[in-house]
Amino acid sequence: MLAALYAVLITLGAGLLMLPVATPAPITWSDAIFTAASAVTVTGLVVIDTGSDLTVFGQGVVMVLVQLGGLGLMTFAVLVLSMLGLPVSMSQRMFLREDLNQTSISDLMVLVRGILKVVLACELVGVMLLSVVFVPEFGWAEGLWQALFHTVSAFNNAGFALFPDSLTGWVGNPVVNLTVPALFIFGGLGFIVVTELYERRGWQAFSLHTKLMVVGTLALIVWSVVMFAALEWNNPRTLGALPLHDRFWASWFQGVTTRTAGFNTVDIGGLHDSTSMMFMSLMVIGGGSTSTAGGIKVTTFIVLLLATLAFFRRRQQLHIFGRSLGPEEVMKVLALTMVSILTVFMAIFLITISHDGDFLDLAFEVTSAFGTVGLSRGATGELDGFGRAVIVAVMFIGRVGPLTLGFFLATRAKPRLGYPASRVFLG
Amino acid sequence: MLAALYAVLITLGAGLLMLPVATPAPITWSDAIFTAASAVTVTGLVVIDTGSDLTVFGQGVVMVLVQLGGLGLMTFAVLVLSMLGLPVSMSQRMFLREDLNQTSISDLMVLVRGILKVVLACELVGVMLLSVVFVPEFGWAEGLWQALFHTVSAFNNAGFALFPDSLTGWVGNPVVNLTVPALFIFGGLGFIVVTELYERRGWQAFSLHTKLMVVGTLALIVWSVVMFAALEWNNPRTLGALPLHDRFWASWFQGVTTRTAGFNTVDIGGLHDSTSMMFMSLMVIGGGSTSTAGGIKVTTFIVLLLATLAFFRRRQQLHIFGRSLGPEEVMKVLALTMVSILTVFMAIFLITISHDGDFLDLAFEVTSAFGTVGLSRGATGELDGFGRAVIVAVMFIGRVGPLTLGFFLATRAKPRLGYPASRVFLG
Ligand SMILES: [K+]
Ligand SMILES: [K+]
């Protein structure tokens, strides 16, 4: 269902991008389909320059596709979540029943309206803040457009930018360095977490899912910012070329953007191999469930770590924040992880058969597509038709796969009354 | 226990290799330790040329280390196996009880004698066959030595050769192409399987472990030979340079040797990136439990596949050959696989921090070390001291780790009477 919806969106979007009004010079169907797929899956890998190879109309098409892709994801994810029996109460007003068949259309509308409200509020604030930077630079019309496009792109973790070098030009700008990450971190936490945080119920009242997401996201941010700075501090192609002040900003920005947002303020092609590897691991982890982020998800990663620890302590159950997770949850996590690793591995293998590029660059590109991140070491532009098709397929799988798998897992579980263990959404 | 034994063997071996009589010209401690570690873990990665940088005494030291490493493995593995409650009967004469404390020294001696008999018989046949090739070429003394060294190296899946380009000189020689693989496939099946095959009890009487090993090994051989031929057939740096006849031999040899033996008859550095990736997956899979092979093991890989299939069929149990495997076994397999993938990933990451070599070459080298395979795209020779230390550590972990983990898992399981499900050794 979700897959069909996304396929239709991609086809429609590609058709719109082929219209003469969308581009100053004609593009190929391959370009159009790749761009539409990248937008709908909120990945952000590009084969044409969004800023110069598309007209404002074309850029608008990309923006709408990004917004629809992001919204669709969040809505669908919350539906799946409600089927898993996780609390999705919005101010105690909205209840979705365990079985989708019992969920009325009006319930759905309440849900969608709730999501829309959150999205619009966040994006409005984003546009206002980014206008402060872009309007003085580009004038009112173009400045507002830039602010709107980058806000939508950031909130939906799409990573599309209107500049060929992403946000490299604003590497030291405090407003950009705070607004854009705030948008994509918020968008990447997921609807559940945002709602719970909004209701300010206090730490004890948070669900296990929210607790894991908050702690996991903070830990991953600290880890990736510190590691990025440590590995790249003296690299003349990235941080080494910047003044001290900007190095801190760039470390912060690149550390938080890598898991799924996909913007960059330094040249990704100039990274050390070790940093590229670290980035690949972050891209596989991704963001939160029911969010616009990709990857195996933060909660899945945490359960994976806990399961390995529990295994070496010879325990059958995981304990975290006073709750336990049974072997069934662990099985799901491990299955999801194995399928993900296999997908990435097979895709790299297929591309290396047809294409003789630098291996690390290709592996990076595939991982970026799977995590719907959109960071690139430059290999995507060089791919032939087959390679592009593989990347499109991986973006699609990376976007739809974990959710569908989550849906599958959700429908699998028979509702059990009095189930004492807590559960975490794994898609 | 096993780890300490191996560490002592490596230190002793390195000391012997430092003696003036072992080398025509002095080597460094780093060279000696690396070589000894590579020999004891039966890996076969080299930083010095075994044929020319070591005297016959030095080569003898390597051969003895290889034999001890291989024997130690098989003995220890069978002990672990017996603790898992798997049948280890040799002609109904030998029984090891579930608890190691109840196993008397005389039982152990029977076991070791049984293993020694199998090893000696196989190696005697190997020496005779290889002499047919090497004696006419090198004369009696050197020819027999070559035959002995390569037989021991092959049976123990060590991959050490006395020629700088491994067995490339015999790419089309039928005797070498049949004897060497026969030795390492036999050595890589594992003691249990060999014993059961020897007793010719017929398919129905085989244990589940043996059935999985036989079917899995055959399937992997067909897959790897066909894939290798398909990917490399026209590559001028490997098969493409050979006459048609030799291409078949080389495909056969390279297809079977990659999982753990580590000999090569084509230039590994000349492989396509896609073939290198396929080889890396084969090296991670490895050979059989209780054998001289490395990797996560064939049975582990099969259970992994079955678990993923069962998962998508919404089943809690796996069924194969009329037996079932419960979720506990699946947990072990998944834990072992995750830890293995993490080890390889972390090692590559550490090496890329300190060393600016080709990424694929480094990843290949680490995977080769983990699977104790010994195939090389040439990166090992270029590593600095830190990189060498990482490779030594990975060889050690790759050799001792899965066995120790298997031991850990074995001691964890409480003996349960009437346990209906079958079990597979996963180390
Ligand atoms: K993205
Ligand atoms: K080997």
Side-chain angles (χ1 to χ4, degrees):
Chain A
M1 185 183 90
L2 186 72
L5 183 73
Y6 272 63
V8 169
L9 264 183
I10 291 171
T11 315
L12 272 177
L16 286 173
L17 289 176
M18 285 304 286
L19 296 178
V21 69
T23 52
I27 56 173
T28 65
W29 271 104
S30 166
D31 291 336
I33 290 172
F34 192 97
T35 306
S38 183
V40 171
T41 62
V42 295
T43 303
L45 286 172
V46 289
V47 288
I48 58 173
D49 178 35
T50 318
S52 65
D53 291 340
L54 293 178
T55 60
V56 170
F57 174 81
Q59 294 166 8
V61 170
V62 168
M63 189 183 76
V64 171
L65 291 177
V66 162
Q67 187 66 78
L68 288 177
L71 268 183
L73 273 177
M74 291 180 77
T75 315
F76 187 81
V78 173
L79 278 179
V80 171
L81 208 64
S82 71
M83 294 174 67
L84 265 172
L86 278 174
V88 243
S89 65
M90 278 178 57
S91 312
Q92 322 297 335
R93 284 196 307 131
M94 191 265 300
F95 280 93
L96 289 166
R97 288 184 204 96
E98 285 225 4
D99 189 339
L100 189 60
N101 297 324
Q102 295 175 30
T103 307
S104 69
I105 296 295
S106 70
D107 282 346
L108 249 179
M109 292 318 292
V110 173
L111 168 68
V112 172
R113 226 178 297 141
I115 292 180
L116 271 178
K117 259 196 270 179
V118 172
V119 171
L120 283 180
C122 292
E123 294 189 348
L124 197 66
V125 175
V127 171
M128 290 194 297
L129 289 170
L130 287 184
S131 298
V132 175
V133 178
F134 289 126
V135 168
E137 183 121 0
F138 300 103
W140 277 102
E142 199 187 334
L144 278 176
W145 174 242
Q146 296 269 9
L148 177 63
F149 185 94
H150 289 104
T151 295
V152 172
S153 181
F155 184 76
N156 291 290
N157 275 281
F160 277 93
L162 294 178
F163 317 104
D165 54 358
S166 192
L167 299 175
T168 309
W170 285 266
V171 61
N173 185 300
V175 178
V176 170
N177 270 304
L178 291 175
T179 308
V180 171
L183 283 168
F184 64 64
I185 291 174
F186 214 61
L189 278 173
F191 183 69
I192 299 304
V193 178
V194 170
T195 310
E196 285 197 32
L197 290 178
Y198 177 76
E199 292 175 357
R200 291 191 200 83
R201 287 192 283 167
W203 183 255
Q204 287 305 325
F206 283 156
S207 69
L208 177 60
H209 183 83
T210 296
K211 286 181 187 167
L212 289 182
M213 274 306 299
V214 170
V215 171
T217 302
L218 283 177
L220 280 169
I221 287 177
V222 171
W223 161 259
S224 48
V225 171
V226 170
M227 282 301 289
F228 177 78
L231 291 170
E232 294 291 325
W233 199 259
N234 290 313
N235 182 351
R237 295 183 62 189
T238 58
L239 292 185
L242 300 172
L244 188 65
H245 185 255
D246 288 359
R247 290 192 203 183
F248 285 106
W249 278 124
S251 299
W252 151 255
F253 191 89
Q254 210 55 57
V256 290
T257 192
T258 301
R259 274 185 301 122
T260 195
F263 293 101
N264 55 290
T265 54
V266 299
D267 176 23
I268 300 298
L271 297 176
H272 283 309
D273 288 358
S274 48
T275 317
S276 301
M277 273 198 84
M278 188 195 72
F279 273 24
M280 283 164 69
S281 65
L282 289 174
M283 295 194 291
V284 167
I285 294 172
S289 301
T290 72
S291 81
T292 53
I296 61 171
K297 306 294 180 298
V298 173
T299 43
T300 308
F301 177 67
I302 295 176
V303 175
L304 206 57
L305 283 185
L306 292 175
T308 310
L309 276 178
F311 177 80
F312 281 103
R313 286 182 185 169
R314 309 190 175 204
R315 288 195 187 144
Q316 290 269 356
Q317 282 200 319
L318 320 180
H319 295 280
I320 181 84
F321 293 133
R323 299 298 185 92
S324 68
L325 293 168
E328 203 181 321
E329 304 299 302
V330 178
M331 280 285 292
K332 290 179 191 174
V333 165
L334 291 167
L336 184 68
T337 309
M338 288 314 300
V339 171
S340 301
I341 291 176
L342 276 182
T343 304
V344 171
F345 187 88
M346 286 307 300
I348 300 174
F349 179 63
L350 283 176
I351 291 186
T352 53
I353 288 181
S354 75
H355 183 78
D356 261 341
D358 181 81
F359 180 76
L360 181 60
D361 290 355
L362 292 174
F364 192 90
E365 226 74 6
V366 169
T367 314
S368 178
F370 176 77
T372 65
V373 177
L375 292 180
S376 171
R377 290 176 61 85
T380 295
E382 296 167 12
L383 291 177
D384 54 10
F386 176 74
R388 279 192 187 188
V390 172
I391 294 283
V392 167
V394 172
M395 289 194 290
F396 198 77
I397 294 172
R399 182 78 288 170
V400 175
L403 264 180
T404 308
L405 213 58
F407 186 79
F408 181 81
L409 292 169
T411 54
R412 173 194 199 181
K414 288 169 195 155
R416 283 195 251 168
L417 286 173
Y419 187 67
S422 187
R423 320 178 89 198
V424 174
F425 187 60
L426 313 169
Chain B
M1 184 183 91
L2 185 73
L5 184 74
Y6 272 65
V8 169
L9 264 183
I10 291 171
T11 317
L12 271 177
L16 286 173
L17 289 176
M18 286 304 286
L19 296 178
V21 69
T23 50
I27 57 173
T28 65
W29 271 104
S30 167
D31 291 336
I33 290 172
F34 192 97
T35 306
S38 183
V40 172
T41 61
V42 296
T43 303
L45 285 172
V46 290
V47 288
I48 59 173
D49 178 36
T50 318
S52 64
D53 292 339
L54 293 177
T55 61
V56 171
F57 173 81
Q59 293 166 9
V61 169
V62 168
M63 190 182 76
V64 171
L65 290 177
V66 162
Q67 186 67 78
L68 288 176
L71 269 181
L73 274 178
M74 290 181 78
T75 316
F76 187 81
V78 172
L79 279 178
V80 172
L81 208 64
S82 71
M83 294 174 68
L84 266 172
L86 278 174
V88 244
S89 65
M90 277 181 56
S91 315
Q92 322 298 335
R93 284 195 307 132
M94 189 264 301
F95 279 92
L96 289 167
R97 286 184 206 98
E98 286 225 5
D99 189 338
L100 189 59
N101 297 325
Q102 296 176 28
T103 307
S104 69
I105 297 295
S106 70
D107 282 344
L108 249 179
M109 292 317 293
V110 174
L111 169 66
V112 172
R113 225 179 298 141
I115 291 180
L116 271 179
K117 256 197 272 179
V118 172
V119 171
L120 282 180
C122 291
E123 294 189 347
L124 198 66
V125 175
V127 171
M128 290 194 299
L129 288 170
L130 286 184
S131 297
V132 175
V133 178
F134 290 127
V135 168
E137 183 118 2
F138 299 104
W140 278 103
E142 200 189 333
L144 278 175
W145 175 241
Q146 297 270 10
L148 177 63
F149 185 92
H150 289 104
T151 295
V152 171
S153 181
F155 184 77
N156 292 289
N157 275 283
F160 277 93
L162 295 179
F163 316 104
D165 53 359
S166 191
L167 299 175
T168 308
W170 284 266
V171 61
N173 185 301
V175 177
V176 171
N177 271 304
L178 291 175
T179 308
V180 171
L183 284 167
F184 64 66
I185 290 174
F186 214 62
L189 277 175
F191 182 69
I192 299 303
V193 178
V194 170
T195 311
E196 285 198 32
L197 290 178
Y198 176 76
E199 291 175 357
R200 292 189 201 83
R201 288 191 283 169
W203 184 254
Q204 288 304 325
F206 284 155
S207 68
L208 176 61
H209 183 83
T210 295
K211 286 181 186 168
L212 289 182
M213 274 307 298
V214 170
V215 171
T217 303
L218 283 177
L220 280 169
I221 288 177
V222 171
W223 162 259
S224 49
V225 170
V226 170
M227 282 300 290
F228 177 78
L231 291 170
E232 293 292 325
W233 198 258
N234 291 312
N235 182 351
R237 296 182 62 189
T238 59
L239 293 185
L242 300 172
L244 189 65
H245 185 254
D246 288 359
R247 289 191 204 184
F248 284 106
W249 278 123
S251 298
W252 151 255
F253 191 88
Q254 210 55 55
V256 290
T257 192
T258 301
R259 273 184 302 122
T260 196
F263 294 102
N264 55 290
T265 54
V266 299
D267 176 22
I268 300 298
L271 297 177
H272 282 309
D273 288 358
S274 49
T275 317
S276 302
M277 271 197 87
M278 188 194 74
F279 273 25
M280 284 164 69
S281 64
L282 290 174
M283 295 194 291
V284 167
I285 295 172
S289 301
T290 72
S291 81
T292 52
I296 62 170
K297 305 294 181 298
V298 173
T299 43
T300 308
F301 176 66
I302 295 175
V303 174
L304 206 58
L305 284 185
L306 292 175
T308 310
L309 276 179
F311 177 79
F312 281 103
R313 287 184 185 167
R314 308 188 175 205
R315 290 199 185 139
Q316 290 270 356
Q317 281 201 322
L318 319 181
H319 295 280
I320 182 85
F321 293 134
R323 300 298 185 93
S324 68
L325 292 167
E328 204 182 317
E329 304 299 301
V330 177
M331 281 285 292
K332 290 180 191 171
V333 165
L334 291 168
L336 184 68
T337 308
M338 288 313 301
V339 171
S340 302
I341 290 176
L342 276 182
T343 305
V344 171
F345 187 88
M346 286 307 299
I348 300 174
F349 179 63
L350 284 176
I351 292 186
T352 52
I353 288 181
S354 75
H355 183 79
D356 260 341
D358 181 82
F359 181 77
L360 181 61
D361 290 356
L362 292 174
F364 192 90
E365 227 72 8
V366 169
T367 315
S368 178
F370 177 78
T372 66
V373 177
L375 292 180
S376 171
R377 290 176 61 85
T380 296
E382 296 165 13
L383 291 177
D384 54 10
F386 176 74
R388 279 192 186 188
V390 172
I391 293 283
V392 168
V394 172
M395 289 194 290
F396 197 79
I397 293 171
R399 182 81 286 174
V400 176
L403 264 180
T404 308
L405 213 56
F407 186 78
F408 181 81
L409 292 171
T411 55
R412 173 196 200 182
K414 287 169 195 156
R416 283 196 251 167
L417 286 173
Y419 188 66
S422 187
R423 319 176 91 198
V424 174
F425 187 60
L426 313 169

